[in-house]
């Protein structure tokens, strides 16, 4: 087919939930009706990353980057751009007026990114194995099966310095070598696609946009360590990713890239999918393995480590989706190439879900060593609505907050740890002056308390106690002794919990205490929430100088606690006020003070 | 479907690679820009565009991108085409129908020879001598 | 056995390879605090109290689940460890009701001991008690969720050690509790009332039904004729509550205290055991020699096992001995034979039994056949634990009582009767009499060592002058599956079954390790108690059931002969399939 134009439409869950599927169908219909079927190829791809502005439609070779596309725009794009060659200006992404028609890779959002894991997302159709193959897909597998020994592969991984991307950062080559060297009749390879961190969707997008990269990598691992069966444990809340993965596995099997005697090498390998059932704790490797075995998802003491005794007691390699997606590239381009990217201790790139109060929220992939400032301000486009940056939270519910003075920290495992946070799976949540640190800590703790499996006392009881204390503080019932109690319980949880969930659950609290203890004190001693977030600690009063007595606030008050005569300053009865904020919102004269 | 062998996989990759690479813009040094304003389309610019794409495909030229643009202004000699190439001056051609399109690919792009009779904008110096 | 060198708190010691740090530390005279760990069970590593450090490593690891490696330098106590452990204990206490004074585990509770040892005087955290109703649906056991410390021992025991699967963790995090699957009531679950969960629970979250109030009441009632029987396993364990070594035989003191408490007649279940041997031994001869009925014959004196077979292996019911348990046999005879002899009406007789077993509380209403005397044959069952509490509440100086005898009619026993209390004892007793029943002669040597010991499944072939009897003895319900599968496989293939006679005891160690015995049973203690039992056997005047003069008298005067119609009416029962879950 001699296509002259290619239209790539994002079909990740984010854009799909905003009707990108409908856009695709309408464009297809229009293209057919206008007789352009043989000239234009419509391609459904994975995530482009600029999720803040989705649904995204990219036209090549014109390099037109359409954002915020709606189904009704489909007709216009076909008619004006594809048929008549006139890009629809009001839909094109404009960084700034002066930068019109900027090349896509030079958009600040993309300029500092380096897509290795996301190399095929937004480029190929994830439902078509041929497109994966075209972009050197399964070439690394060829190399592994026919040109490399297991030891060669381990060596390449070692040189690359790849560390587990699930959060722990354990050197991948070491994990593989443990499993490879153990004698066993049966071994397993597992992909951890449970991705439970709230706000994290790196793994989901990778599987939705490039499922074959996982399949290829797991097969390579099977060959390296001597395993013939792989499992992908994916959370049931990712139906689209599951569907794409099922399709990819089926296509790979049909082509013979999974199954017996792959490519005539004599090596057998197959993959099955196992679904999660709504438990964050099943992202912890031993709980995950228990879940695959059909048992209750509770962690087990380690040692023995899964690499030696894992699934059904057999040696098991278990890695995160991002780790897997990096493997084929490392084999093809060499560990040395990979090791050139990143910092001394943390090689390669990392995918982050940059969300919160930034302008360009979405999925990004940057070399390790990129600074937080570059990520938040250059790529992220700075804080929304011109507000002031307060802190960035990394690592999800297991991580901590990093305040403004550390914005120039190069991102890597060790640096983040030194600051009291962790890399985690890649969540980055940006907070501004309106975010209360205690409320943030409480939010995360609420999550981990709910998700705790309950097996060990430090996490089960400690988390609940810490939450109780935070709750009291946000309601104005805190005591100064609470700060030390939080530290004491937090420490016990870090040291004595059975698994990573409990060990890291106190991190948001301890981290906010480290950098924002003054906020805690303010809540406790002054019963005040400067960010204006904790409802109980926010007071609404009427400034008699500004109030003209129009009575609008009194009308809108749901509990009738505002009184006053017409055209005379009104007052709020604090004992009845429920702090809904209606009066603050409706007053046209700025007479209601929030604080 | 029968299980694929190593050679078959490699062949499949070669084939599909070519298809995917057509979408790419990066690294492609030669640009053919076809004016697709209303006048252009009325004059048959779509056929011109099609001809460029097909000929480039036929000749297996990997380094060329064919783009479309709005009206270039030379409405009286539509369809108009601009060719940008390293080692060659930026040239704007007029009255480019499907046949001329094919000639431009063969002469200008492959053999680096201007199709003089259709050039709208002459180069400052005759660098072909 | 390979030995490795390690250091604990800078003290050099040598331990076998594979020893956990928790066990290894004892060699250096260090007891690392623990709550969830139990020597019977694989470590779950839940409570977080046993944390220790390796030198120069800031991480804290669990001593219960980590094996010592050669050259390891372990630190068990330092200020940081102490602080963290204390906080963990305070957290556990903040989640536990503060009513030690009213708790059945007062003075006998592992959490209480920890709090005392740690010197806890206040808990700096808010009291958070789980509000969930008590499950007392079962006639034998009660679950009190508020006191549960989630150690997980009961779940391990019920699933792994007993293979009953009546208990599971349900819910998540703070709301996690122990309950049967689908949160049904215990009575509607597969629970066989073996009580092993209550025996392993470190606190007062799982305990036997306390029926002592009913007994105190009846002891005050002059219109009732009160009779009591004690089980073989009780006599070697009751002393533990009074500071004596496990295995100390206190039979005559028990008779003495029972008389002092006010019982009109004191009998012994061992008599019933001898009787069971006569009935069951004859049954065996019927099947083995006269080929009437199917083989293997399986013992049925353990009510936990009876419930288990009815639920999990109902197809094997024809293999069950129809003989009741010794306990029920004595029970029905007190209200018929004894009633006749004394002229007291059955309805005026109140029968109490003191058992090492919680399932017996269920057994007495198991079916209408437990009313073969016309009224309920046994009125109430007390566990050894309840019995020791009664003794203490009575003010009687138990250990200094003069020895007394039981009432012979249903109280005299042979050595064969007492060994019922240990695993393999029923089998050994049966063999001693089976030889006589088959050949008419007595055995010279009556000890069958191959039936004894704590091995989960004991298999042997007994040679009686060329006649070979294949036996299997299993204890701990999880071991049953292996034996049953061997038998079922052979029967399905039309082959000879691998065993002729099988003894099953639900509890590990047999009744000495029963669910109602004093707390803290480990294999070491079970072995000691069993030793006491076998000592009692050795000291007995008669060692074979058929030599029991009172048993002979019973047949002569009342029953006729084993398996007679009267025997069947009073001393035998029937079984039927039961559902795992009552919906």
């Amino acid at each position: 087919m001699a296509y002259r134009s290619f239209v790539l439409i994002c079909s990740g869950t984010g854009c799909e939930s905003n009707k990108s599927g409908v856009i695709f169908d309408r464009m297809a219909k229009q293209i057919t009706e206008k007789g352009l079927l043989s000239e234009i190829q419509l391609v459904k791809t994975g995530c482009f990353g600029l999720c803040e502005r989705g649904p995204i439609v990219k036209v090549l070779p014109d390099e037109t980057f359409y954002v915020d596309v709606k189904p009704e725009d489909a007709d216009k794009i076909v008619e004006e751009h594809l048929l008549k060659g006139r890009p629809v200006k009001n839909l094109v992404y404009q960084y700034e007026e002066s930068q019109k028609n900027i090349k896509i890779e030079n958009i600040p959002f993309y300029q500092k990114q380096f897509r290795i894991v996301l190399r095929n997302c937004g480029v190929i159709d994830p439902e078509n194995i041929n497109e994966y193959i075209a972009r050197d897909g399964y070439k690394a597998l060829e190399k592994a099966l026919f040109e490399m020994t297991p030891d060669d592969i381990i060596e390449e991984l070692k040189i690359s310095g790849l560390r587990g991307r699930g959060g722990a950062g354990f050197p991948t080559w070491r994990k593989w070598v443990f499993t490879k060297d153990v004698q066993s009749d049966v071994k397993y390879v597992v992909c951890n696609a449970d991705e439970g961190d709230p706000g994290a969707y790196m793994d989901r997008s990778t599987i939705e946009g490039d499922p074959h990269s996982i399949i290829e990598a797991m097969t390579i691992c099977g060959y390296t360590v001597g395993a013939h069966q792989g499992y992908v444990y994916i959370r049931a809340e990712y139906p689209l990713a599951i569907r794409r993965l099922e399709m990819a596995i089926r296509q790979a099997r049909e082509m013979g890239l999974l199954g017996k005697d792959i490519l005539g090498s004599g090596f057998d390998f197959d993959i099955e999918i196992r679904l999660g059932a709504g438990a964050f704790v099943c992202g912890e490797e031993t709980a995950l393995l228990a879940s695959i075995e059909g048992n209750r998802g509770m962690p087990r003491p380690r040692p023995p480590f899964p690499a030696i005794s894992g699934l059904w007691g057999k040696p098991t390699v278990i890695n995160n989706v991002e780790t897997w997606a990096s493997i084929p590239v490392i084999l093809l381009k060499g560990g040395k190439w990979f090791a050139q990217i990143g910092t001394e201790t943390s090689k390669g790139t990392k995918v982050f879900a940059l969300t919160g109060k930034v302008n360009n929220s979405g999925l990004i992939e940057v070399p390790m060593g990129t600074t937080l400032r570059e990520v938040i301000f250059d790529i992220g486009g700075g804080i929304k609505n011109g507000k002031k940056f307060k802190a960035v939270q990394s690592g999800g519910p297991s991580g901590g907050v990093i305040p403004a003075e550390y914005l120039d920290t190069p991102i890597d495992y060790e640096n983040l740890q030194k600051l009291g946070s962790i890399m985690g799976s890649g969540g980055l949540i940006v907070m501004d002056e309106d975010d209360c640190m205690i409320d943030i800590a409480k939010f995360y703790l609420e999550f981990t308390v709910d998700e705790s499996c309950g097996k060990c006392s430090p996490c089960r009881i400690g988390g609940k106690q810490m939450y109780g204390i935070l709750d009291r503080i946000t309601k104005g019932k805190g005591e100064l002794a609470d700060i030390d109690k939080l530290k004491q319980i937090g420490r016990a949880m870090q040291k004595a919990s059975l698994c990573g969930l409990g060990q890291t659950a106190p991190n948001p609290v301890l981290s906010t205490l480290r950098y924002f203890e003054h906020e805690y004190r303010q809540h406790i001693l002054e019963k005040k929430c400067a960010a204006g977030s904790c409802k109980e600690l926010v007071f609404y009063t009427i400034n008699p100088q500004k109030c003209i007595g129009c009575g609008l606030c009194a009308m809108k008050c749901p509990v009738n606690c505002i009184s006053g005569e017409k055209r005379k300053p009104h007052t709020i009865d604090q004992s009845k006020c429920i702090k809904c904020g209606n009066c603050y919102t409706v007053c046209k004269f700025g007479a209601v003070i929030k604080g | 479907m029968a299980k694929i062998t190593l050679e078959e996989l490699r062949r499949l990759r070669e084939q599909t690679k070519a298809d995917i690479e057509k979408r790419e813009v990066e690294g492609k040094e030669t640009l053919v820009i076809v004016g697709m304003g209303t006048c252009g389309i009325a004059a048959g610019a779509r056929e011109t565009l099609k001809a460029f794409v097909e000929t480039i495909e036929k000749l297996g030229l990997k380094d060329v991108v064919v783009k479309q643009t709005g009206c270039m202004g030379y409405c009286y000699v539509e369809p108009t085409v601009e060719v940008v190439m390293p080692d060659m001056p930026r040239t704007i051609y007029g009255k480019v129908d499907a046949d001329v399109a094919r000639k431009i690919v063969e002469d200008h792009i492959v053999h680096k020879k201007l199709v003089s009779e259709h050039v709208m904008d002459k180069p400052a110096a005759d660098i072909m001598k | 056995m390979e030995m490795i060198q390690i250091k604990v708190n800078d003290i050099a010691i040598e331990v076998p390879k594979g020893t956990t740090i928790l066990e290894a530390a004892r060699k250096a005279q260090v007891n690392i605090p623990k709550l969830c760990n139990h020597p019977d069970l694989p470590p779950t590593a839940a409570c977080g109290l046993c944390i220790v450090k390796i030198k120069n490593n800031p991480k804290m690891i669990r001593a219960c689940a980590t094996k010592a490696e050669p050259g390891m330098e372990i630190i068990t106590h330092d200020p940081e460890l102490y602080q963290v452990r204390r906080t963990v204990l305070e957290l556990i206490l903040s989640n536990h009701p503060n009513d030690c004074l009213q708790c059945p585990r007062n003075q006998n509770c592992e959490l209480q001991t920890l709090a005392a040892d740690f010197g806890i005087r206040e808990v700096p955290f808010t009291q958070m008690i789980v509000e969930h109703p008590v499950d007392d649906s079962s006639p034998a056991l009660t679950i009190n969720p508020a006191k549960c410390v989630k150690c997980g021992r009961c779940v391990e025991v019920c699933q792994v050690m007993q293979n009953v699967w009546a208990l599971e963790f349900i819910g998540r995090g703070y709301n996690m509790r122990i309950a049967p699957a689908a949160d049904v009531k215990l009575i509607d679950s597969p629970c066989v009332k073996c009580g092993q969960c209550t025996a392993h629970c470190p606190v007062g979250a799982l305990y036997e039904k306390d029926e002592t109030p009913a007994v105190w009441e009846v002891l005050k009632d002059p219109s009732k004729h009160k009779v009591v029987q004690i089980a073989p396993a009780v006599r070697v364990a009751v002393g533990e509550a009074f500071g004596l070594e496990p295995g100390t035989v206190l039979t005559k003191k028990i008779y003495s205290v029972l008389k002092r408490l006010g019982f009109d007649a004191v009998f012994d279940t061992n008599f019933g055991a001898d009787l069971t041997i006569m009935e069951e031994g004859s049954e065996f001869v019927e099947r083995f020699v006269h080929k009437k009925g199917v083989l293997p014959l399986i013992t049925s004196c353990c009510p936990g096992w009876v419930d288990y077979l009815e639920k999990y292996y109902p197809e094997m019911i024809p293999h069950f001995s129809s003989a009741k348990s010794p306990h029920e046999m004595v029970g029905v005879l007190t209200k018929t034979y004894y009633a006749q002899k004394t002229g007291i009406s059955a309805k005026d007789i109140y029968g109490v039994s003191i058992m090492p077993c919680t399932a017996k509380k269920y057994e007495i209403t198991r079916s209408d056949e437990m009313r073969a005397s016309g009224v309920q044959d046994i009125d109430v069952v007390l566990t050894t634990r309840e019995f020791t509490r009664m003794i203490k509440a009575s003010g009687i100086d138990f250990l200094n009582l003069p020895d007394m005898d039981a009432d012979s009619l249903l109280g005299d026993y042979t050595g064969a009767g007492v060994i019922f209390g240990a695993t393999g004892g029923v089998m050994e007793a049966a063999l001693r009499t089976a030889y006589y029943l088959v050949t008419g002669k007595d055995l010279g040597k009556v000890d069958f060592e191959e039936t004894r010991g704590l091995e989960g499944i004991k298999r042997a072939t007994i040679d009686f002058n060329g006649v070979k009897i294949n036996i299997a003895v299993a204890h701990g319900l999880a071991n049953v599956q292996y034996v049953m599968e061997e038998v079922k496989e052979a029967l399905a293939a039309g082959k000879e079954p691998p065993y002729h006679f099988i003894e099953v005891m639900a509890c590990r160690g047999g009744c000495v390790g029963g669910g109602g015995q004093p707390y803290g049973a480990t294999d070491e203690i079970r072995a000691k108690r069993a030793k006491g039992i076998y000592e009692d056997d050795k000291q007995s005047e008669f060692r074979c059931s058929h030599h029991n003069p009172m048993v002979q008298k019973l047949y002569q005067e009342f029953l006729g002969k084993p398996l007679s119609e009267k025997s069947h009416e009073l001393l035998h029962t029937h079984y039927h399939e039961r559902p795992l879950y009552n919906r």
Side-chain angles (χ1 to χ4, degrees), chain A residues 277-281 295-296 298-305 449-465 469 472 485 488-489 491-493 495-499 503, chain C residues 43-48 51 58-62 65-67 80 83-84 86-88 90-95 124-128 148-151 165 168-176:
Chain A
F280 173 69
V281 72
N295 291 325
R296 196 179 138 94
M298 293 199 301
R300 299 189 269 230
R302 289 171 298 171
F305 290 92
V449 163
D450 187 47
E451 294 288 341
S452 162
C453 74
K455 182 170 176 180
C456 76
S457 339
C459 171
R460 182 184 74 244
I461 310 172
K464 195 104 173 136
Q465 287 284 7
I469 295 174
R472 280 191 291 108
K485 275 192 200 160
Q488 181 195 353
I489 303 175
R491 202 158 158 64
M493 283 175 75
K495 290 286 178 180
S497 295
L498 182 59
C499 83
Q503 285 159 5
Chain C
T44 43
C47 69
I51 43 174
K59 249 184 115 169
M60 292 188 187
I61 57 174
R62 279 162 160 71
T66 315
K67 295 204 168 63
E80 205 198 348
Q83 185 56 48
V84 174
R86 196 186 179 86
T87 305
V88 173
E90 285 168 352
L91 285 171
I92 297 174
L93 292 173
S94 76
N95 189 222
F125 311 123
T126 322
Q127 269 267 300
M128 299 188 309
C148 177
V149 292
K150 324 288 192 295
C151 65
W165 295 80
E168 175 59 278
F169 295 108
I170 62 173
R172 196 166 70 189
Y174 182 74
N175 299 318
M176 184 181 83

Side-chain angles (χ1 to χ4, degrees), chain A residues 175 194 321 393 487 516 588:
Chain A
K175 212 181 243 192
D194 197 48
V321 170
Q393 206 276 351
K487 289 183 183 162
F516 296 95
K588 297 191 191 30

Side-chain angles (χ1 to χ4, degrees), chain A residues 272-381:
Chain A
E272 273 180 44
I273 297 179
R274 286 286 186 272
L275 300 187
F280 173 69
V281 72
C282 285
E284 195 278 334
E285 60 182 15
T286 59
L288 190 155
L289 295 176
S291 176
I292 296 182
E293 291 170 3
N295 291 325
R296 196 179 138 94
M298 293 199 301
R300 299 189 269 230
R302 289 171 298 171
F305 290 92
I308 313 287
S309 169
L311 198 52
W312 293 296
K314 304 290 180 187
T316 307
V317 170
I318 167 169
N319 276 135
N320 170 269
V321 170
E322 243 185 277
T323 317
W324 289 121
S326 310
I327 303 280
V329 174
I330 290 175
L331 285 199
L332 281 181
K333 294 208 167 198
K336 219 158 108 188
W337 171 87
F338 192 82
Q340 282 166 347
I341 307 161
T343 70
E344 189 58 44
T345 59
S346 311
K347 302 291 181 193
T349 57
K350 181 79 189 75
V351 182
F352 289 103
L354 180 65
T355 55
K357 309 276 180 77
V358 272
N359 283 314
N360 299 332
S361 74
L363 209 64
I364 68 172
E365 186 171 357
V366 292
M368 296 278 195
T370 309
T371 67
L372 289 164
R373 191 184 298 278
E374 287 177 288
V375 167
I376 297 168
F377 291 93
D378 297 340
I379 299 176

Side-chain angles (χ1 to χ4, degrees), chain A residues 3 16-17 22 41 51 79 135 137 235 285 312 374 383 404 450 482 513 518 526-527 540 546 574 576-577 588 591:
Chain A
Y3 293 118
E16 282 263 334
S17 63
V22 178
Q41 191 185 27
C51 308
E79 174 92 28
R135 299 255 302 168
R235 58 185 304 193
E285 60 182 15
W312 293 296
E374 287 177 288
I383 311 299
D450 187 47
D482 286 338
L513 269 175
H518 55 276
E526 295 173 49
K527 310 271 188 264
Y540 293 97
K546 286 201 174 163
Q574 296 298 332
K576 295 207 185 107
C577 173
K588 297 191 191 30

Side-chain angles (χ1 to χ4, degrees), chain A residues 4 61 81 84 131 136, chain B residues 17 23 36 49 67-68:
Chain A
R4 58 148 170 105
H81 184 156
K84 299 183 189 170
E131 298 214 355
D136 284 344
Chain B
K17 213 178 207 144
R23 299 180 202 168
M36 297 274 272
L49 183 65
K67 281 186 163 185
Q68 52 187 18

Side-chain angles (χ1 to χ4, degrees), chain A residues 115-179:
Chain A
R115 295 175 127 221
I116 296 181
V117 169
L118 301 176
R119 60 191 176 277
N120 287 328
C121 293
V123 181
I124 64 166
D125 178 358
E127 297 182 7
N128 186 344
I129 189 174
N130 289 345
E131 298 214 355
Y132 179 72
I133 290 172
R135 299 255 302 168
D136 284 344
Y138 289 105
K139 198 164 177 196
L141 180 62
E142 285 176 28
K143 195 171 174 191
L145 290 176
F146 295 103
E147 295 168 39
M148 298 174 87
T149 65
D151 283 322
D152 292 334
I153 297 172
I154 301 276
E155 188 59 31
E156 215 52 57
L157 277 185
K158 188 170 173 192
I159 294 171
S160 78
L162 177 67
R163 290 167 71 168
R165 294 285 191 259
F170 188 76
T172 308
W173 73 271
R174 258 189 216 272
K175 212 181 243 192
W176 287 32
V177 121
F178 285 145
T179 308

